């Protein structure tokens, strides 16, 4: 048996749409019907007024910060446990990312540390809805409103996740999604900025395509970027949108199954959670070794791999990244809760197409290993 951590599930519609785009010669990011259609369908899905497609999740993060008006020299409070693309996007602006520790359950930014870090340079809070669980937005937004800060959501892992029954992507000033191959839906590479602000949508749309002029196309109105999604990628996206709800419920079923198997091992294995105000879309079934299993991640992952079960390490937090410690941007001690996940967390095969047999196999093998090693 060989079970990958995830594989994209590509339906029949995707090839039909891609062929249509190819036959029409609408292959770039400026022409073709699928781009606008994908944006409209994605905006509807998220319950937001505007969606602006782009070339990657990282580009979407950069565009949302630019369009929301974060400036060089600003301080941005950001959840420390994330894909470093979140941090890089803040650095592209010339702004300063300030690491904020996480809540152990949601794995999102911990609101209790925000106010202590706000000063006259702070202009934005960047939350990350990690592994499909939304950040504690009600508290974040309360604090942001009180201090007149922007809120940017990194939704790269959380398509369809909900806070108090409202989907992520429109909870703050702007949201950024990724459509990389292993995300909830994929276009190969791709991203989307979501917002309820016409001004932010217009700015993101302009900047993603070289900020061409309106009356005089080649009289540019700003320093723009080429962050366009191609019509071929959008064609794949339209195909994926037809099954997005199904893809999410499949992932939730996988988590339910694993939870039921690992329930009585919580003393050595922290499991994904779901706050009572949240819907977790389970981007990946992320676990963390604890108690007597601490420090045994490499061993556990190697033993699983020998059985054919592929896994991945969890993220190393921003405050533990060597390059940023050396440059004086962070110190290791800043975020003790996030640090506990750095070298003991990993995720299990969570693809939407994993079979009952495969799930059983993964759970059996991991349980055996826990019993052997604990
Ligand atoms: C995947 C991911 C990104 C980056 O998206 P790309 O499409 O790979 O550029 C950013 N943030 C988080 C949290 C991610 O998981």
């Amino acid at each position: 048996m060989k079970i990958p951590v995830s594989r994209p599930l590509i339906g029949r519609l995707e090839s039909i749409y891609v062929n249509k785009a190819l036959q029409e010669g609408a292959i770039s990011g400026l022409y073709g019907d699928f781009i606008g259609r994908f944006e409209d369908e994605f905006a509807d899905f998220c319950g937001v007024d505007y969606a602006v497609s782009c070339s990657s999740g990282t580009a979407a993060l950069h565009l949302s910060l630019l369009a929301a008006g974060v400036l060089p020299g600003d301080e941005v409070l950001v959840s420390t446990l994330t894909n470093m693309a979140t941090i890089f996007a803040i650095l592209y602006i010339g702004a300063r990312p300030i690491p904020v520790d996480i809540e152990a359950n949601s794995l999102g930014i911990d609101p209790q540390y925000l106010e202590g870090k706000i000063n006259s340079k702070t202009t934005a809070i960047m939350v990350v809805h990690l592994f499909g669980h939304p950040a504690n937005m009600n508290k974040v937004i309360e604090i942001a409103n009180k201090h007149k800060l922007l809120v940017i959501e990194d939704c790269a892992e959380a398509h369809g996740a909900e806070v108090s029954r409202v989907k992520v992507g429109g909870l703050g000033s702007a949201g950024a999604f990724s459509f990389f191959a292993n995300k909830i839906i994929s276009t190969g590479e791709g991203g989307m900025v979501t917002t309820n602000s016409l001004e932010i949508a217009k700015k993101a749309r302009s900047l993603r395509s070289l900020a061409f002029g309106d009356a005089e196309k080649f009289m540019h109105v700003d320093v723009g970027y080429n962050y366009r999604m191609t019509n071929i990628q959008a064609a794949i996206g339209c195909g994926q949108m037809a099954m997005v709800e199904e893809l999410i419920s499949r992932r939730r079923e996988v988590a339910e199954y694993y939870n039921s198997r690992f329930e009585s091992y919580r003393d050595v294995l922290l499991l994904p959670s779901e706050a009572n105000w949240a819907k977790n879309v389970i981007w990946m079934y992320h676990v963390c070794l604890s108690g007597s299993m601490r420090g045994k991640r490499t061993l556990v992952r190697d033993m699983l791999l020998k059985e054919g079960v592929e896994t991945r390490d969890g993220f190393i937090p921003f405050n533990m990244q060597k390059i940023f410690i050396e440059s004086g941007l962070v110190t290791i001690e800043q975020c003790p809760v996030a640090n506990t996940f750095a070298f003991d967390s990993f995720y299990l095969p969570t693809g939407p197409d994993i079979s009952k047999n495969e799930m059983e196999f993964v759970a059996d093998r991991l349980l055996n290993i826990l019993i052997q090693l604990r």
Side-chain angles (χ1 to χ4, degrees), residues 79 100 165 188 211 223 238 248 331 373:
S79 183
V100 180
R165 299 190 179 271
V223 178
C238 287
I248 292 169
T331 60
L373 295 182

Side-chain angles (χ1 to χ4, degrees), residues 56-58 61 82-83 85-86 128 154 156-157 178 180 183 190 283 315:
S56 72
T58 309
L61 286 164
T82 183
N83 180 315
T86 320
V128 183
D154 183 337
E157 306 178 356
S178 164
F180 180 65
K183 301 297 161 96
W283 172 54
F315 295 120

Side-chain angles (χ1 to χ4, degrees), residues 38-102:
F38 183 38
E39 289 175 341
D40 289 346
E41 289 182 6
F42 198 76
D44 276 355
F45 168 73
C46 295
V48 297
D49 291 338
Y50 310 99
V52 179
S53 63
C54 59
S55 52
S56 72
T58 309
L61 286 164
H62 189 195
L63 282 176
S64 24
L65 289 162
L66 285 167
V70 175
L71 296 171
D74 287 1
E75 292 192 1
V76 177
L77 307 183
V78 60
S79 183
T80 193
L81 191 66
T82 183
N83 180 315
M84 281 308 109
T86 320
I87 308 301
F88 296 159
I90 298 168
L91 292 170
Y92 297 162
I93 302 271
R96 184 184 173 105
I98 307 290
V100 180
D101 210 350
I102 56 159

Side-chain angles (χ1 to χ4, degrees), residues 88-117:
F88 296 159
I90 298 168
L91 292 170
Y92 297 162
I93 302 271
R96 184 184 173 105
I98 307 290
V100 180
D101 210 350
I102 56 159
E103 298 178 317
N105 290 327
S106 71
L107 304 182
I109 202 162
D110 190 332
Q112 68 169 313
Y113 300 124
L114 288 172
E115 288 200 293
K117 295 181 189 292

